[in-house]
Structures are given as C-alpha cells and as structure tokens.
Amino acid sequence: MPTVFDFEKPIYELETKIAELKQFSADKGLNLNREIEVLEQRALELKRSTYGNLTPWQKVLIARHPNRLGARDYIDNFCTDFVELHGDRAFGDDPAVVGGIGRMNGYAVTVVGHQKGRDTKENLVRNFGMLHPDGCRKVLRLMRQAEKFGRPLVCFVDTPGAHCGIGAEERGQAEAIARNLMALSTLKVPIVVVVIGEGGSGGALALGMGDRILMQEHSVFSVSSPEACASIIWKDAGRAREAAEMLKLTAQDLLRWGVIDEIVPEPLGGVHRDPEQALELLREALFRHLDEICRLDRGELLRTRYHKYRAIGNL
Amino acid sequence: MVQAPGEVGTVFELFRKSKYFTVQPESKREIPEGLWIKCRCREILFSKDLSRNYKVCQKCGHHFRLTAWERIELTLDPDSFVEFDADLEPRDILEFPGYAQKLAKAQEETGLREAVVTGEGTIGGHRVVVVVMDAHFIMGSMGTVVGEKVARAAERALEKRVPLVAFSASGGARMQEGILSLMQMGKTAAALGRLDQAGLLYISVLTDPTMGGVSASFGFLGDIILAEPGALIGFAGPRVIEQTIRQKLPDGFQQAEFLQEHGFVDLVVPRNRLRDTIIKILGLHQQGE
Ligand SMILES: [Zn+2]
C-alpha cells in the first residue's frame, strides 16, 4: 500500500475508479473509452489543483514521503565511478550522512548528503538522516579533501535536523556545525546544494551553504522542524501544522527572499509519484548550475558567495 | 590603562548610575525588585553587595546574568566604548503572530533595540571590536538584525585590523524570523571566516545561556573560547533532549565545566578574573610588547 495523505484521497479514489472501469471494460469487451477519458481528464485537473495549491504542511508531508528519493538515489543516478568514503578520522562513521567521490557531468566531484532510511529498519541505522557531530566532521573532512584536489562539491540536503542527545552534546554538536558553516563559506571550490526533502535547522545548514542553492518544488527548508518550532513557541509539538504555516518554509517562500536560486520542478504529485521523471528534472538543473559555477573565476566565486550570505535578511 | 582587579568595583559604581542598571530576577519565584535578591542557593543577597561582587553570589558562586550594558561597563575601559549600528531595528518580516508585540515588549523592558550591542573600545588599553548579547531580550535569540550586527562587527574588526571579542548569551535562532534567522548562522560564520583568513584574533566568551543557532555559529568559532562558570552551553536545549531520550540528564550536563572537560571550551573563567584573562590573551597576541 502506498502512503496516501488525506488531501490526496479524492485523487486516489478517482484513480482506483478509472482502473476498475478499465478492467471492467476489458473483461466485458465494452468500449468505455469516452467515459474513461472524461474521468482521466477530471483526475488530471484534480491533481493539478491539489498539488498546485499545497499548504505548507502538505508540502512538509510530501517532503517526508517514505518513497521520496534520497541522496543515494540521486548520487547513484547522476555519478559514474562513485566511490563511497566513510568516517571522520576521529570518532566513527555516521550513517546519517553519505559521502564520496564520483564523476558528474564530466566533472570529478565530491558529493555529500544526509541519508534517511527507505524503511523503518534502515531508518534506525541511519537515524532518520539526523546527523551527529561525527557526521558533520565527516562532511568537513570530505570538503577539505575536495578543496585540496580542486573538486567541486555537491550537497544533498534531507534531514529533520541534527541529532539531539547526550552523545551528540558530549562530542560538540554545536562546534561541529559551526566549523562546517565557516568552511562552506570559505571553501575554494564551487558548491551546489540541492534540498531534496526537508532541510531542518543547523543540521541542514551544515551541508547547505554554497554558490547555488536549489530546492525541489515540494521540499521545505526552515529554522527548525515544525514540531521543534511548535515545542519551542507553544511548548506543544502537536501544533506542528500551525507552525509550518507560520515558518514560511516552502521553496516558493525561500525563492522570494533570495535564500535560494532556483526551484526544480517535480513530477505532478511529487517525486515519489514518478521517480524517473524526478531524476531527469533534477539532473538537468543540477548539471546546468554545476557547469555554470565551474566556469567562474574562483576569486569571483568566493566574493559572490560571501555577498550572497551577507545580503540575506537585509530586506 | 590596565586596571587592578580592585578597581573593577569602581566600574560597577559607574554603571550603577546608568539607567540600565537593574538587578534582573532570573525566575518569578525570586524576590522581584528592589534591594534584596534571592539566589538559587536560597541565600538572600543585598543587591548592592551583589553588584560589587560582579553579580556573583558570595555564597555559592552562582553567576547572575548581566545585561549587555553591565557587561560593557565591566569589561571595557571606562568611556572607551563607542556603539555601532545603534539604529538597526528588527522587523516582523514573516508577519509571525505575536512577534511584533513581543519585540515591542522586549524593547520597552530592556531599553535595547535588539538582543545585541556592538561597538569598539579598549580593554586594558588594547583596541578591540566587541559583540555583547543580552539574554533579557527575547532570550538573546538571533534574528536578521542580530546576525547583521555581528557580521558588521566582524567586518569592522577586519577593516581596523583589531581583535574581535564576543560575549554570547542566547537561546538560539529566533523562530519568529524563520529561515532568515537560520541564514544568520551562515552570515556570521562567513564574516568570521574572513577574519580567520586574515589571521586576526577572535575571542569568544560563552555566557549563560549559549545554545542552538548562536553556539552553532559564531559562539564556537573563536580562536580562544572562554566560558563563565555554570553557564548552560550546547546545541539542543536540555528540555528537548530530555523529551527526546525520555531520561533525566546527568548533573552538570551542558554546563561550562562539562564543555571544558569534553574539550570544547579552552578555559572556564570566573567573572572576577575574566577581564584580566582577556587582557592577558590580547597582550599575548601582540609581538614584542
Ligand atoms: Zn547563591
């Protein structure tokens, strides 16, 4: 059974009806093409109006859809000769973050990303993409390596936030995030960031600063997860839906404020409804931006990156 | 220019006359206003004595939170401070419910425009740019104006080629300015990155509390990181961690001493020795003097 949200139910009901009608027509040898066509047209219109007018909370749900593609899916599809690299060379290897080297659109690149699990079992291993300080430091190590060899950096962002727990604090979660932010802002190679699901808090930003920031159409990026925000403001995580409305966390909001550079379209209904098309859509945008920034003078690149962050919020 | 420790009392005499001086109660259970204040150790303290002792409880050593102006008076040489960007005013960009009123109330109660005061001055004769946060203003949370003031301070330190000294006191990023608050972490880190690459000194002093978006950006980027005793320092708040892991946190968790023990703070320095320690560090970053 696919995950179906309440607001999608009328669409799925209609789609089920169409499938039944097709089956019935085939079984009985009846020509119901006209009826089917009408229903299909209605389904398409319903999808367009539903997915074209998603509320922020509905976008949060789609951004977290269990069948949405993750960092590894994009890496495997976009890279040839990908070699995964593990560990922070200090404490361990954080499975909430994947990283490595590969070739993308002709460029040898370093690529990192938050990685959620595809199911509950994998999610327990990957901690739902919530990185520990060791995950941040693994990324920092790979960034420095990219800089040494002059490789562009590609980051996929998909996390509810940095892990919150005793070990994470003992090993300096805040320090680890802060170091990554400073490193990303000064790294002497081109950086493209793509928000592919949810970008929550400092844990997202630790992989989320660069020369170009792209967001998929239904992805979200916010100061904290709506649950954490509701818990901070109203001491009630149950009011997450309300917090999502207020946080202005959609790709459309972020483009308006100049926080991101481009919105990458998704297949109608979201990435999970047509992964193949989603791959093609993101490939086009990502390769184009990668190509553009790789052609820029490095000094100019760093100056532009600095001014981009300096200007955010000065409205 | 270097003051003897005993003279710091006179500095306090100075700011006692300033309009900013009020002993802020830390919780509603404490005696609210006036001459007496009750410490968390239950000791009743005469507020005049408390001020003479750097707002540190004589009995248990508890460091009461300072306002930004108290911190400036305590740290900088008398009359040396010149404020930057005093006119920058926060705005309710997201139209977040209740935020405009919250800002107005905080401004009225603290006499500040935002949760940070920045400027330049001297400490023991050393020219510095300073960033001083005030936890009394919406828990010192960082929104766009706080981020902008910190970034400008770092840029001025770079321009003037003087050290930057920051005193953080913050619950983290300001929720009511959403993603724009998050991006201030990137903005401040970028400005400090330039300072770092120019080989300039940045001393970060973590005071109670330094959490979330502030600890995870300019808080932990100091070349030298000092902290005040007992200050709460970390990423996630203790309440959030307790709710997540469903167990009680160990004693002393996320306190300054815990951070030093785990290797994330260079030195925990009691308030009465903080100014002298900063002066010593500033001096050691000048060759041949
Ligand atoms: Zn006491």
Side-chain angles (χ1 to χ4, degrees):
Chain A
M1 251 317 266
T3 302
V4 177
F5 303 120
D6 281 345
F7 65 89
E8 295 179 302
K9 275 194 181 136
I11 295 167
Y12 276 85
E13 277 163 16
L14 203 55
E15 283 180 339
T16 312
K17 201 186 268 177
I18 293 166
E20 281 169 5
L21 212 55
K22 280 181 175 167
Q23 188 63 48
F24 181 78
S25 127
D27 290 350
K28 305 282 174 185
L30 283 168
N31 184 350
L32 296 171
N33 288 353
R34 241 189 72 79
E35 286 79 357
I36 290 168
E37 207 176 291
V38 168
L39 286 179
E40 278 179 335
Q41 189 56 38
R42 250 176 63 194
L44 184 65
E45 278 162 21
L46 192 58
K47 276 193 260 186
R48 279 196 185 130
S49 68
T50 304
Y51 296 120
N53 297 288
L54 293 172
T55 66
W57 178 246
Q58 289 167 345
K59 284 193 185 260
V60 171
L61 294 175
I62 289 183
R64 289 175 178 170
H65 197 286
N67 299 119
R68 199 173 171 89
L69 297 178
R72 257 327 274 270
D73 299 309
Y74 291 111
I75 293 170
D76 291 342
N77 271 279
F78 296 167
C79 285
T80 52
D81 300 329
F82 178 68
V83 181
E84 185 167 3
L85 303 172
H86 292 275
D88 66 350
R89 296 278 202 280
F91 178 84
D93 180 45
D94 186 348
V97 171
V98 294
I101 51 178
R103 194 167 293 278
M104 204 182 268
N105 197 26
Y107 297 101
V109 298
T110 291
V111 51
V112 294
H114 303 95
Q115 182 66 55
K116 293 182 178 179
R118 290 180 181 86
D119 50 42
T120 311
K121 204 176 137 203
E122 197 192 346
N123 255 327
L124 290 176
V125 175
R126 297 209 177 270
N127 197 30
F128 302 86
M130 295 186 288
L131 69 178
H132 278 74
D134 342 315
C136 280
R137 294 185 184 120
K138 167 169 151 180
V139 169
L140 183 63
R141 179 176 81 82
L142 297 179
M143 278 192 242
R144 290 293 177 218
Q145 195 186 63
E147 190 172 47
K148 172 175 175 180
F149 295 105
R151 285 191 293 262
L153 177 68
V154 176
C155 306
F156 293 101
V157 172
D158 191 15
T159 181
H163 181 78
C164 145
I166 292 179
E169 296 293 323
E170 284 174 338
R171 302 201 294 280
Q173 187 73 279
E175 193 267 355
I177 293 171
R179 289 282 151 212
N180 278 24
L181 303 186
M182 198 201 255
L184 284 169
S185 67
T186 52
L187 205 73
K188 294 178 184 69
V189 290
I191 309 169
V192 188
V193 175
V194 193
V195 183
I196 55 169
E198 58 178 335
S201 90
L205 200 62
L207 277 72
M209 286 176 74
D211 302 299
R212 296 291 162 84
I213 315 291
L214 318 182
M215 272 180 86
Q216 283 182 319
E217 190 182 346
H218 303 312
S219 65
V220 295
F221 196 179
S222 60
V223 63
S224 77
S225 69
E227 287 80 1
C229 174
S231 155
I232 288 165
I233 297 212
W234 303 299
K235 308 213 182 321
D236 180 5
R239 293 172 71 180
R241 178 190 299 248
E242 231 174 299
E245 310 287 329
M246 293 171 184
L247 278 169
K248 308 268 163 63
L249 42 61
T250 69
Q252 294 70 24
D253 288 318
L254 270 65
L255 184 69
R256 191 151 48 91
W257 283 319
V259 174
I260 62 165
D261 299 285
E262 188 173 314
I263 297 174
V264 182
E266 293 188 25
L268 198 56
V271 168
H272 64 282
R273 302 223 23 173
D274 191 346
E276 284 305 317
Q277 198 196 346
L279 284 166
E280 281 320 303
L281 289 165
L282 183 54
R283 181 198 303 270
E284 185 282 317
L286 174 57
F287 285 14
R288 173 166 42 83
H289 283 282
L290 186 64
D291 205 46
E292 273 174 27
I293 58 171
C294 284
R295 288 167 194 275
L296 294 175
D297 165 73
R298 295 289 158 96
E300 185 58 33
L301 189 77
L302 283 164
R303 273 191 298 278
T304 311
R305 191 189 303 160
Y306 185 76
H307 291 298
K308 167 200 177 87
Y309 282 93
R310 276 301 279 110
I312 294 179
N314 301 349
L315 303 169
Chain B
M1 285 296 277
V2 181
Q3 281 187 311
E7 283 178 273
V8 180
T10 20
V11 175
F12 262 90
E13 294 295 326
L14 273 175
F15 80 67
R16 275 177 55 208
K17 286 176 200 135
S18 92
K19 65 180 168 133
Y20 300 102
F21 182 71
T22 47
V23 176
Q24 295 280 351
E26 298 212 339
S27 88
K28 293 195 176 79
R29 272 166 296 171
E30 286 166 357
I31 296 165
E33 292 281 345
L35 297 172
W36 301 90
I37 191 162
K38 192 177 176 185
C39 182
R40 58 164 71 154
C41 71
R42 296 170 164 276
E43 183 79 354
I44 306 283
L45 304 164
F46 190 36
S47 59
K48 207 169 155 191
D49 293 339
L50 187 62
S51 296
R52 287 223 177 86
N53 198 39
Y54 311 87
K55 284 177 101 175
V56 175
C57 171
Q58 287 102 325
K59 189 161 177 237
C60 73
H62 172 60
H63 284 53
F64 285 81
R65 288 175 186 164
L66 298 183
T67 66
W69 287 104
E70 285 170 347
R71 176 72 67 185
I72 289 164
E73 296 281 357
L74 182 60
T75 310
L76 280 99
D77 298 334
D79 302 322
S80 74
F81 182 73
V82 179
E83 191 177 357
F84 296 150
D85 305 309
D87 55 337
L88 281 186
E89 190 105 38
R91 284 191 302 129
D92 178 17
I93 304 164
L94 268 63
E95 297 176 349
F96 199 99
Y99 182 42
Q101 296 89 306
K102 211 178 171 76
L103 279 175
K105 188 162 168 271
Q107 289 179 332
E108 199 193 309
E109 283 175 0
T110 62
L112 300 170
R113 286 216 169 131
E114 245 299 359
V116 70
V117 177
T118 58
E120 64 181 320
T122 58
I123 303 179
H126 299 283
R127 282 186 66 206
V128 290
V129 167
V130 289
V131 165
V132 185
M133 299 193 80
D134 195 322
H136 304 94
F137 192 105
I138 318 186
M139 201 35 92
S141 55
M142 175 160 69
T144 50
V145 169
V146 171
E148 180 64 22
K149 285 176 88 168
V150 172
R152 285 190 192 182
E155 285 173 343
R156 295 225 171 87
L158 179 62
E159 205 179 280
K160 294 167 191 285
R161 302 203 67 83
V162 299
L164 177 71
V165 182
F167 294 85
S168 52
S170 172
R174 190 172 293 166
M175 290 297 136
Q176 294 89 342
E177 292 186 30
I179 189 75
L180 299 174
S181 294
L182 187 73
M183 292 298 152
Q184 303 311 308
M185 296 170 65
K187 181 193 281 186
T188 58
L192 289 168
R194 286 198 159 182
L195 205 63
D196 183 54
Q197 292 186 329
L200 288 162
L201 172 66
Y202 167 34
I203 302 173
S204 174
V205 185
L206 311 179
T207 77
D208 188 56
T210 300
M211 304 297 292
V214 166
S215 63
S217 62
F218 65 92
F220 270 111
L221 291 175
D223 296 296
I224 291 179
I225 301 175
L226 306 177
E228 285 200 331
L232 183 75
I233 301 163
F235 182 64
R239 189 170 57 93
V240 178
I241 299 176
E242 261 178 359
Q243 279 169 5
T244 310
I245 64 174
R246 293 168 203 283
Q247 66 185 75
K248 261 202 90 55
L249 297 169
D251 279 348
F253 183 69
Q254 294 183 319
Q255 282 184 16
E257 295 75 9
F258 169 96
L259 274 288
Q260 182 180 301
E261 204 177 297
H262 285 87
F264 291 99
V265 159
D266 285 292
L267 196 61
V268 175
V269 187
R271 195 173 286 161
N272 64 355
R273 294 213 304 272
L274 193 51
R275 180 179 140 91
D276 285 345
T277 305
I278 293 170
I279 292 171
K280 228 191 279 181
I281 295 168
L282 290 170
L284 289 168
H285 285 79
Q286 288 184 331
Q287 278 305 344
E289 276 181 32

